[in-house]
Amino acid sequence: MQNDTIAAIATPAGAGGIGVIRVSGSDAFSIVQPLLRRSGKQTALPPSHQLIYDHIVDPATREMLDEVLVAFMYAPHTYTRENVVEIQGHGSPLTLHRILRTVLAQGARMANPGEFTLRAFLNGRLDLAQAEAVMDLIESQTEAGQRLAMQQLRGRLSEQVQKARVAILDVVARIEASIDFPEEDVPTPQTAELLPLLAIAQQHVASLLAGSEKGRLYRQGLRTAIIGRPNVGKSSLLNALLRTERAIVTPIAGTTRDTVEEIANLRGIPLHLIDTAGITPSDDPVEQLGVQRSRSAAESADVVLLVFDRSEPLNMQDRLVCFELNLMGFGSTITCEEQLSHQHRPVMLVLNNADRDSYLDSEELQRFWPLAPIVQTSTITGDGISELEDVLAELVLGGNTISGESVLVTSTRHQEALRRTSEHLRASTEALEQRIPLDFVSIDLRAAYNALGEVTGETASDDLLDKIFSEFCIGK
């Protein structure tokens, strides 16, 4: 199938000013050139990477399909390192599909999801980590996420991984040379000689793992549920954080009966805000469904903004919400690592209506959440909203932000491979220290080397490649 010439629409679905059809493969030029009204009559191809003006014609009916700009790009200086043609036409879905059908009728095959990038990987233009960064770049929701994707696409993550692989391979080579060529009098490497080399590899891996939880935040975002009893200002808080009137707000309790989800930007982290119905006992079946969805939102959240009305005393409904969150595993431990692993997911206490007199017993509230950060807000005046964002950012980032040169692991797959690498390196280090035969040490080192190869694709299985590229859009 890799020898097929493939084609697909490379621009998003829907109408637009311009639409692009991409064709890649050894027959790309011979398939597209006959479809051009003027260039199709010529024997010589246009210069590489230059746009030419022409019209696409259906060869069966001679009907003119569109006025286009076409670029013929010669291998290997293309995205896939194959011959590539890109047809830029008007962004009408009907027109683009008619052109695509004509290209397919000439002998091209419809591209599978991610197949253009898969070919870039298979042909050596990108490694697997860089190929995954392409999708991260497309899907990035903040500038910080976009910067991290660009660093990975430039190969910065792969460079760090390769440094660790080189250090491991150095140890493996010394061990296996002494085992495989005893007649050559290759000296047996000593523990004192190998341990520093393993420490270098472990240091590279540990450095990548250290920021991986924060890296995943920049890529996947932070699920943040806004929880509380009815009519404490949850929807108003959502609107204040979004800086827009997204949720309906009325003085009537129970206005929100379903979850409302929107994304805000928290210091570069996509903040997935979930406004929920008030958690309260009810006989209304619709309200019961809304309360159940609120509980589900809390259970799936990374952090909860627990909202109270500071202008009223705590009541039984407030206490019920606190009790339920405790049962769900939320606590006042606020480290980023514990939060993301869902061991003790943190709660932030938001005391709303700061523009009114306070009648809330804060001492009773702190007995529920002795270490939880407290922020007082007014969604009427806007007071406290910036402070809430600062506290939440400190909670998950520890005050650190990323720079344009930061290299962070953002993928769960990469993180898991690095953890396995670290475990194998630790096992091999312990084996060396315990004077276990070197051929057994070599087994763990090979496993560590291969685990790192999964990040860059050098030891990736076909099943893994199929899974990764199936998540791409068609045309990329």
Side-chain angles (χ1 to χ4, degrees):
M1 290 181 62
Q2 193 181 349
N3 294 326
D4 296 345
T5 296
I6 56 175
I9 298 172
T11 39
I18 297 173
V20 176
I21 293 170
R22 176 182 282 168
V23 186
S24 179
S26 57
D27 296 330
F29 296 165
S30 61
I31 285 174
V32 174
Q33 191 178 25
L35 306 180
L36 302 176
R37 188 183 66 175
R38 291 187 298 183
S39 303
K41 299 175 183 179
Q42 303 172 6
T43 56
L45 289 169
S48 182
H49 291 78
Q50 290 188 17
L51 287 175
I52 61 169
Y53 169 78
D54 214 318
H55 294 81
I56 291 285
V57 176
D58 185 339
T61 63
R62 306 310 302 167
E63 178 186 1
M64 189 179 298
L65 301 181
D66 198 8
E67 182 181 34
V68 297
L69 292 173
V70 182
F72 289 78
M73 293 176 275
Y74 296 67
H77 305 294
T78 66
Y79 183 69
T80 61
R81 283 196 171 166
E82 301 174 332
N83 288 339
V84 171
V85 182
E86 288 193 356
I87 304 168
Q88 300 181 15
H90 294 93
S92 158
L94 175 60
T95 301
L96 290 173
H97 279 95
R98 291 190 70 190
I99 295 173
L100 178 60
R101 285 198 301 269
T102 304
V103 170
L104 297 177
Q106 291 293 104
R109 169 176 63 79
M110 185 69 184
N112 295 319
E115 191 168 2
F116 291 98
T117 305
L118 174 60
R119 291 190 174 196
F121 164 70
L122 294 175
N123 292 328
R125 183 181 176 274
L126 304 171
D127 66 30
L128 190 55
Q130 291 174 299
E132 290 173 284
V134 171
M135 183 53 66
D136 289 349
L137 190 62
I138 293 170
E139 295 183 344
S140 56
Q141 302 172 79
T142 66
E143 290 184 9
Q146 187 265 346
R147 290 191 187 101
L148 287 175
M150 276 304 303
Q151 290 300 327
Q152 187 170 321
L153 183 57
R154 287 171 55 194
R156 293 289 306 282
L157 172 62
S158 302
E159 290 172 7
Q160 299 299 316
V161 169
Q162 289 299 347
K163 288 178 181 178
R165 291 193 96 208
V166 168
I168 294 171
L169 190 59
D170 190 5
V171 180
V172 172
R174 297 182 189 211
I175 291 175
E176 295 189 355
S178 67
I179 295 172
D180 295 341
F181 304 103
E183 68 281 359
E184 301 293 336
D185 294 326
V186 176
T188 301
Q190 300 302 306
T191 299
E193 172 190 351
L194 299 179
L195 286 178
L197 296 174
L198 285 181
I200 292 173
Q202 188 69 279
Q203 184 179 0
H204 286 304
V205 173
S207 176
L208 289 172
L209 278 173
S212 61
E213 295 294 358
K214 291 177 183 176
R216 288 200 303 123
L217 273 181
Y218 282 108
R219 181 183 188 227
Q220 299 176 3
L222 184 73
R223 286 187 62 81
T224 306
I226 305 175
I227 302 293
R229 65 172 171 84
N231 212 32
V232 292
K234 298 185 297 298
S235 297
S236 297
L237 181 61
L238 173 76
N239 290 341
L241 289 169
L242 293 174
R243 273 71 172 179
T244 187
E245 296 297 316
R246 171 62 179 85
I248 297 174
V249 177
T250 74
I252 303 170
T255 301
T256 302
R257 292 197 168 196
D258 199 355
T259 56
V260 177
E261 297 195 29
E262 287 292 338
I263 298 177
N265 185 337
L266 177 73
R267 310 296 187 267
I269 294 176
L271 189 65
H272 296 268
L273 293 167
I274 312 166
D275 181 25
T276 64
I279 296 180
T280 181
S282 174
D283 295 327
D284 185 336
V286 177
E287 204 166 66
Q288 287 176 352
L289 183 59
V291 170
Q292 183 54 47
R293 291 188 177 181
S294 298
R295 293 187 176 111
S296 297
E299 288 172 349
S300 66
D302 298 309
V303 60
V304 159
L305 302 182
L306 182 53
V307 186
F308 300 90
D309 185 348
R310 71 188 289 274
S311 68
E312 299 178 4
L314 283 178
N315 59 31
M316 288 305 299
Q317 288 182 332
D318 291 317
R319 298 183 181 95
L320 174 63
V321 174
C322 292
F323 180 71
E324 287 204 21
L325 288 179
N326 273 315
L327 288 180
M328 291 179 192
F330 285 90
S332 54
T333 303
I334 60 173
T335 65
C336 178
E337 289 75 11
E338 287 182 325
Q339 170 207 321
L340 293 174
S341 64
H342 279 209
Q343 293 172 5
H344 296 287
R345 293 171 291 164
V347 170
M348 281 186 59
L349 307 181
V350 182
L351 311 187
N352 196 29
N353 292 327
D355 52 307
R356 304 178 190 174
D357 292 337
S358 177
Y359 294 94
L360 190 68
D361 185 350
S362 57
E363 291 184 2
E364 181 182 359
L365 196 58
Q366 289 181 322
R367 284 197 291 272
F368 277 106
W369 315 101
L371 298 178
I374 299 176
V375 178
Q376 301 197 37
T377 62
S378 169
T379 55
I380 301 297
T381 65
D383 291 344
I385 299 301
S386 293
E387 181 187 353
L388 186 155
E389 293 172 333
D390 290 340
V391 173
L392 188 55
E394 177 70 25
L395 182 70
V396 297
L397 293 177
N400 298 320
T401 57
I402 65 168
S403 68
E405 296 301 312
S406 297
V407 179
L408 290 180
V409 173
T410 61
S411 164
T412 303
R413 186 185 77 80
H414 298 167
Q415 186 183 60
E416 192 273 334
L418 288 166
R419 283 176 175 160
R420 281 190 285 116
T421 301
S422 182
E423 291 169 3
H424 287 301
L425 288 175
R426 178 182 52 79
S428 60
T429 300
E430 291 175 355
L432 277 174
E433 293 172 340
Q434 296 169 10
R435 308 294 180 178
I436 291 174
L438 291 179
D439 49 348
F440 290 100
V441 177
S442 181
I443 294 173
D444 268 309
L445 290 175
R446 280 288 180 187
Y449 186 77
N450 289 335
L452 285 176
E454 292 178 16
V455 176
T456 55
E458 290 157 283
T459 57
S461 66
D462 289 341
D463 288 342
L464 177 60
L465 296 179
D466 289 343
K467 180 179 183 301
I468 290 172
F469 288 100
S470 67
E471 297 173 359
F472 279 56
C473 53
I474 295 176
K476 192 56 185 171

